[in-house]
Amino acid sequence: MDQEKRSGFQLKWPWNWVVCGVFVAAAGYFIGYLWSTLLAALFLWLQKKRRPGQPPQGGYCLDRTRKGLAKLLWALLALFFGFAGGLVFYMQMGEDRSAWELSDWAYTVFSAALCLGATALGLYEAYTDLRDAFCPAKSRLAKSIRSQLPYPDEAPPVEELFAMVDRDIQANGQWFDRVAIGREWVLGDDVSSIPRIRGVFSRDEVKVRVTGNRRQSTRIVELWIVDDRRQLQTTTLRSPSELQMAAACLRLRAPEARFDSYERMSAFTGQTEESWQAAERDFRRRRDQRLAREEERERLRDRSI
């Protein structure tokens, strides 16, 4: 009996989320929405717990595209601000504008811009989140895998694309926060082919914004990867220590690549074509030498057995 049968009955995506949503809406009326939400979260956790050591339903790549639905909250927030801006603009335009000062006009223009900008941002975010979850072939993740292939226009169906990465992550993957590093692929917000990696740049930056007497700081933790065609793949992480460990793991997987801070990435990608080709030749020379040494060690080890 395989793992799926031993784990018993499980609701597949998206029905597990549909059931949880209906439960929260129905049970929240009787026991409170906080408790119903906690019970729904417990149910999802138990569903995952019953698959120890197994990949998510549908695989790692498909699971990553589905998790993008969580960003719909940001889309709803943007649409709320867009609605608020539109409401303010409507009320402003209904007033007598004969005695308006410059500040009144500025406030009206700002509310109109907020309405248009926030609404457009919210609709775009909602569209991309829903597209990635329900049309994975058009998702950002699938596009990043295709772009790594020698002939992107002749790429196989999305199921095969995802399966290539899933098999490598399942067999060889090491996880660092939201980044999984296998022997051939790196799975993050984008997917990177390790043999094509030419640069790895770590971004750990604190941005401070001062508004009146308030001081707000935001920490940006990102892993940037540059491939042999100067294409960029990036993943946002939550922990600076995980970022450092992910970069250290990639240094073992692609030792000939350039490892540096984010501030120096633009100089690396902005090289002239002549400089880039010279660096590419040097990269291949050093990689061929390393592979030859590893092959020689394997041959000597086989002889000693």
Side-chain angles (χ1 to χ4, degrees), residues 101-280:
E101 299 179 354
L102 182 60
S103 59
D104 297 312
W105 287 105
Y107 183 64
T108 303
V109 171
F110 172 77
S111 62
L114 177 64
C115 174
L116 295 175
T119 300
L121 179 62
L123 291 175
Y124 175 77
E125 181 67 38
Y127 165 74
T128 55
D129 296 341
L130 293 171
R131 178 204 64 191
D132 286 9
F134 294 99
C135 301
K138 300 179 180 179
S139 66
R140 168 182 170 178
L141 205 65
K143 291 177 181 177
S144 69
I145 300 175
R146 290 191 192 98
S147 70
Q148 304 289 301
L149 300 179
Y151 304 101
D153 294 336
E154 301 176 9
V158 66
E159 294 82 7
E160 295 182 33
L161 289 177
F162 284 176
M164 288 190 307
V165 180
D166 288 340
R167 285 192 296 266
D168 184 39
I169 299 303
Q170 175 68 15
N172 310 297
Q174 297 185 46
W175 285 89
F176 305 93
D177 194 5
R178 301 178 60 253
V179 175
I181 301 176
R183 292 194 177 276
E184 297 291 332
W185 299 96
V186 179
L187 171 62
D189 294 334
D190 296 313
V191 172
S192 303
S193 171
I194 292 179
R196 306 197 74 147
I197 292 178
R198 297 297 183 267
V200 177
F201 299 87
S202 303
R203 184 181 188 184
D204 183 6
E205 180 181 348
V206 178
K207 288 196 171 185
V208 179
R209 184 177 61 181
V210 179
T211 306
N213 295 327
R214 298 184 60 185
R215 181 185 178 93
Q216 295 179 325
S217 61
T218 303
R219 190 162 195 171
I220 302 174
V221 182
E222 294 175 335
L223 179 69
W224 288 78
I225 294 176
V226 183
D227 69 10
D228 57 346
R229 290 179 287 185
R230 296 194 237 194
Q231 295 178 345
L232 299 176
Q233 298 93 39
T234 179
T235 297
T236 300
L237 291 86
R238 292 164 292 200
S239 169
S241 61
E242 294 290 317
L243 173 64
Q244 296 172 5
M245 289 189 289
C249 181
L250 283 173
R251 193 182 292 272
L252 297 175
R253 294 284 193 264
E256 292 80 25
R258 168 81 175 274
F259 288 80
D260 215 327
S261 63
Y262 172 78
E263 290 75 15
R264 295 185 176 90
M265 185 177 69
S266 59
F268 180 75
T269 57
Q271 297 180 74
T272 64
E273 186 62 27
E274 182 179 354
S275 298
W276 183 267
Q277 291 302 325
E280 180 68 14

Side-chain angles (χ1 to χ4, degrees), residues 23 26-37 39:
F23 174 79
Y29 179 80
F30 298 99
I31 63 175
Y33 289 102
L34 176 61
W35 287 106
S36 62
T37 301
L39 289 174

Side-chain angles (χ1 to χ4, degrees), residues 27-97:
Y29 179 80
F30 298 99
I31 63 175
Y33 289 102
L34 176 61
W35 287 106
S36 62
T37 301
L38 291 175
L39 289 174
L42 177 63
F43 168 76
L44 292 174
W45 178 80
L46 289 174
Q47 287 271 294
K48 184 177 180 180
K49 193 72 173 177
R50 295 170 72 178
R51 294 172 53 89
Q54 296 295 310
Q57 292 182 7
Y60 297 105
C61 292
L62 196 58
D63 181 67
R64 182 58 56 91
T65 63
R66 291 167 175 174
K67 285 181 177 178
L69 285 175
K71 293 188 291 185
L72 283 175
L73 294 175
W74 294 109
L76 293 175
L77 182 62
L79 291 174
F80 170 78
F81 280 111
F83 173 78
L87 183 62
V88 171
F89 177 76
Y90 176 79
M91 294 175 63
Q92 288 286 101
M93 296 305 294
E95 296 181 356
D96 181 14
R97 299 185 294 277

